[in-house]
Amino acid sequence: MKPFEVTNEPLEPARYMEYVTHSEAGAVTLFAGTVREWTNGKRTMYLEYEAYVPMAEKKLAEIGVEIKQKWPGSRVAIVHRIGALSISDIAVVIAVSSPHRKAAYEANEYAIEQIKKVVPIWKKEMWEDGEEWIGDQSYKPGSE
Amino acid sequence: MIHLHYFAGLKEVAGKASEDIQWTDGTVEDIVKWAADTYRAFDFSAVQVAVNEEYVLETESVKPGDHVAFIPPVSGG
């Protein structure tokens, strides 16, 4: 298993929790992003994810490095699934361990926020009556 | 020759995930212009460019053999 990975396979959160857990850690936060059925009154049938895989994995690993610098003593695993995902499937798993809980919460949230800004992964919402690629048109990575 | 990579909506407009084009010299801005000219149905205004898997500015030069990826606004998570 790779700690920073984009994969077509279903994600198993427990593996990543295990990966970051160690004797110096006093807290582990485990985040799972799941496929939501209803968004702004529109019913999603399923989601289609795609990625620029080599770059996305590189960016995930960079987020891991940033987290270790910002929250010393932390360990991180971040994985994202691509392909067709059904309602309630897990799209992303972020596991962070740290000596104390505050850092584990903060670092975990930092990871998902960075994913949504800089990691080249896209989702398309498939509705009963149409489909659309989702993306914040106002944000350009690297413009901060 | 440079290698171009398309994703999400741009991949659908282009009808392909990648292609190679002849290229001798120029900047990222020049390539975006070429792509916007070639795939007029796609709005490039919010697209970011990565050269060899790193985000770059439009002033960056592109050399033969480079991999150039057009990155529409991302929506992972």
Side-chain angles (χ1 to χ4, degrees):
Chain A
M1 152 209 140
K2 291 198 283 178
F4 303 100
E5 189 173 29
V6 174
T7 175
N8 278 288
E9 303 300 316
L11 301 179
E12 297 171 41
R15 297 175 68 197
Y16 303 99
M17 178 165 172
E18 223 169 87
Y19 173 82
V20 301
T21 302
H22 62 111
S23 62
E24 303 298 311
V28 176
T29 52
L30 186 64
F31 172 83
T34 53
V35 176
R36 181 176 54 236
E37 184 168 16
W38 292 90
T39 299
N40 301 326
K42 279 204 113 152
R43 185 181 193 178
T44 296
M45 309 306 288
Y46 68 98
L47 292 183
E48 186 76 46
Y49 280 94
E50 72 171 55
Y52 184 17
V53 175
M55 182 172 169
E57 291 188 336
K58 205 158 110 180
K59 290 287 156 197
L60 292 178
E62 281 175 20
I63 294 170
V65 169
E66 286 168 26
I67 286 176
K68 284 184 182 182
Q69 285 166 351
K70 284 173 189 274
W71 292 277
S74 59
R75 270 192 205 178
V76 193
I78 311 172
V79 290
H80 205 296
R81 186 176 168 191
I82 53 173
L85 272 70
S86 308
I87 305 305
S88 295
D89 277 354
I90 297 171
V92 58
V93 169
I94 303 165
V96 180
S97 70
S98 64
H100 301 284
R101 71 176 179 280
K102 196 169 192 294
Y105 275 119
E106 286 175 359
N108 202 303
E109 187 168 31
Y110 176 81
I112 189 68
E113 283 167 2
Q114 288 304 107
I115 288 170
K116 286 174 177 291
K117 284 180 188 172
V118 302
V119 181
I121 299 175
W122 300 269
K123 71 170 151 251
K124 189 189 216 180
E125 288 182 355
M126 315 296 286
W127 310 309
E128 286 158 306
D129 60 345
E131 55 184 53
E132 187 178 278
W133 287 103
I134 308 302
D136 176 5
Q137 304 296 313
S138 67
Y139 186 83
K140 274 196 171 193
S143 65
E144 275 188 344
Chain B
M1 186 105 85
I2 55 172
H3 313 286
L4 304 182
H5 300 270
Y6 307 132
F7 302 97
L10 177 54
K11 184 169 90 177
E12 289 174 359
V13 167
K16 56 191 121 181
S18 63
E19 69 184 314
D20 294 342
I21 63 165
Q22 287 304 322
W23 192 261
T24 47
D25 195 27
T27 64
V28 165
E29 192 180 10
D30 297 328
I31 296 191
V32 172
K33 273 186 193 144
W34 177 89
D37 239 28
T38 308
Y39 302 113
R40 289 170 182 272
F42 191 78
D43 175 12
F44 280 81
S45 62
V47 164
Q48 186 75 5
V49 173
V51 174
N52 301 327
E53 300 170 10
E54 282 300 334
Y55 291 114
V56 292
L57 298 173
E58 292 212 316
T59 49
E60 194 88 1
S61 66
V62 176
K63 298 171 293 300
D66 281 349
H67 288 263
V68 178
F70 299 93
I71 313 281
V74 303
S75 52

